Amino acid sequence: MVLYFSATGNTEFIAKRIANGLNDESLNLLKRIKNHDYSEIHSDKPFIICAPIYVCEIPNFLYKYLKNVKLTGTKQIYFILTSGGYSGIGKHYCKRIARKQKMKYMGTTDFKMPRNYIASNAYPLLSHEENVQRLKDSISKLPPVIERIKEGKKIKSRYVWQFEYLIIKPFTPIWIKVKLRSDKFYSTNECIGCGKCALVCPFNNIEIKDKKPVWGLTDCTHCMACVSNCPKEAIEYGEITKGKERFLCSKYKNDIE
Ligand SMILES: Cc1cc2nc3c(=O)[nH]c(=O)nc-3n(C[C@H](O)[C@H](O)[C@H](O)COP(=O)(O)O)c2cc1C
């Protein structure tokens, strides 16, 4: 069974294709994460965990969820990471999840996907053509991965150097605390109060008050789910997101199929 979390659709794009290729089911974990639902998920086929990379790691809320949810049936667990090109030490967390679940770690593979992060000027979004190319490249990388999973073989991982771990491990929590704040999010006059932002927030950090979203100040990982899924593009992060195109993988559907 393929389990995934996806804020802007990249991970879902890969997860669904893997599930199709394996003739297996896929399960979006968003509702379970929001409801703190750790109840049993059973599969007789291997679990394939698909996760995005945030700040060189598997996002902490997802890591915690995957460590604690009750997975039963198969003893094999695979990991698929999607990133903008650098999956950092994500693989370390995959191994830890496998250990905690007492399952056989069957490897991690990462896919380079379109960039989705617009709340910083440091990582400009790619052009439409570049995004299409990344998605096509990912599609062409899928068959050998699916084949190995079908054959019960391990999938290959990028080598993670010890120095990456030593740098990233202390750096990430500081970066998250300083940079990934929620106090600059607000909705513009375009907001219709539909509440979609609240529905897609994995932290339940958005409340709709007087038909407008209000962000809590504690939990946010800048996953871009609220910003990208707003049907009116009415969510901004300070001045930084103004005028920028919102990324949603589903916008590329017609270019791929
Ligand atoms: C908060 C945040 C941090 C990110 N950090 C990284 C990173 O460290 N390395 C990287 O290559 N991509 C990074 N990305 C890009 C995402 O990993 C990539 O776009 C991913 O495929 C998004 O998956 P989703 O659409 O399923 O949410 C980051 C994106 C966000 C929103």
Side-chain angles (χ1 to χ4, degrees):
M1 183 185 290
V2 178
L3 308 181
Y4 68 92
F5 167 80
S6 184
T8 63
N10 282 344
T11 312
E12 180 168 59
F13 178 91
I14 294 293
K16 294 253 165 153
R17 277 171 170 76
I18 292 181
N20 273 347
L22 294 172
N23 213 1
D24 203 349
E25 296 166 72
S26 63
L27 177 67
N28 184 348
L29 295 173
L30 177 67
K31 270 196 197 142
R32 283 180 151 260
I33 291 169
K34 282 175 83 69
N35 295 332
H36 307 285
D37 175 4
Y38 294 93
S39 63
E40 179 180 7
I41 304 176
H42 181 90
S43 175
D44 293 321
K45 291 185 181 178
F47 281 110
I48 325 289
I49 310 292
C50 301
I53 287 288
Y54 297 162
V55 201
C56 312
E57 294 181 349
I58 291 185
N60 204 27
F61 73 89
L62 185 57
Y63 172 61
K64 281 190 184 156
Y65 183 81
L66 291 168
K67 265 193 346 181
N68 294 309
V69 63
K70 190 174 177 195
L71 301 180
T72 62
T74 175
K75 282 288 158 206
Q76 294 188 330
I77 189 161
Y78 290 86
F79 293 87
I80 306 288
L81 303 176
T82 77
S83 73
Y86 180 62
S87 61
I89 59 170
K91 183 176 147 182
H92 278 271
Y93 291 90
C94 300
K95 285 185 175 170
R96 284 193 198 169
I97 292 164
R99 260 201 309 275
K100 176 77 192 340
Q101 290 287 352
K102 296 193 171 66
M103 286 190 179
K104 185 171 178 197
Y105 172 70
M106 297 300 286
T108 305
T109 289
D110 38 329
F111 286 82
K112 186 172 168 179
M113 302 297 284
R115 287 208 189 118
N116 68 346
Y117 190 56
I118 61 165
S120 160
N121 289 325
Y123 319 98
L125 283 188
L126 303 173
S127 69
H128 189 85
E129 290 70 30
E130 283 170 305
N131 282 341
V132 171
Q133 195 52 52
R134 283 197 178 191
L135 292 170
K136 286 186 173 166
D137 290 346
S138 292
I139 290 175
S140 65
K141 239 185 94 180
L142 276 168
V145 175
I146 292 171
E147 220 35 54
R148 288 191 75 84
I149 298 174
K150 269 187 189 165
E151 290 168 2
K153 291 181 180 160
K154 286 198 169 182
I155 53 174
K156 294 209 178 93
S157 316
R158 181 183 77 84
Y159 186 79
V160 178
W161 300 92
Q162 191 63 22
F163 78 83
E164 292 177 83
Y165 190 79
L166 293 174
I167 294 169
I168 292 168
K169 194 76 184 95
F171 156 85
T172 299
I174 298 168
W175 185 266
I176 289 173
K177 197 162 182 203
V178 176
K179 292 281 192 182
L180 308 190
R181 303 157 60 109
S182 55
D183 52 356
K184 285 191 194 162
F185 285 108
Y186 63 95
S187 66
T188 65
N189 290 339
E190 298 295 308
C191 173
I192 50 170
C194 68
K196 183 146 192 203
C197 48
L199 278 180
V200 296
C201 175
F203 288 104
N204 298 317
N205 192 37
I206 303 173
E207 239 186 285
I208 306 295
K209 286 187 185 157
D210 299 327
K211 294 195 175 168
K212 289 275 182 191
V214 177
W215 281 258
L217 293 180
T218 47
D219 291 323
C220 179
T221 186
H222 278 206
C223 69
M224 296 290 110
C226 58
V227 172
S228 287
N229 285 286
C230 171
K232 292 290 177 186
E233 303 198 351
I235 297 174
E236 303 286 3
Y237 185 71
E239 295 291 311
I240 300 177
T241 47
K242 278 190 179 164
K244 286 185 185 166
E245 191 186 340
R246 273 54 176 159
F247 173 80
L248 260 190
C249 192
S250 55
K251 287 183 188 170
Y252 291 82
K253 203 168 176 270
N254 296 336
D255 298 288
I256 305 298
E257 277 146 16

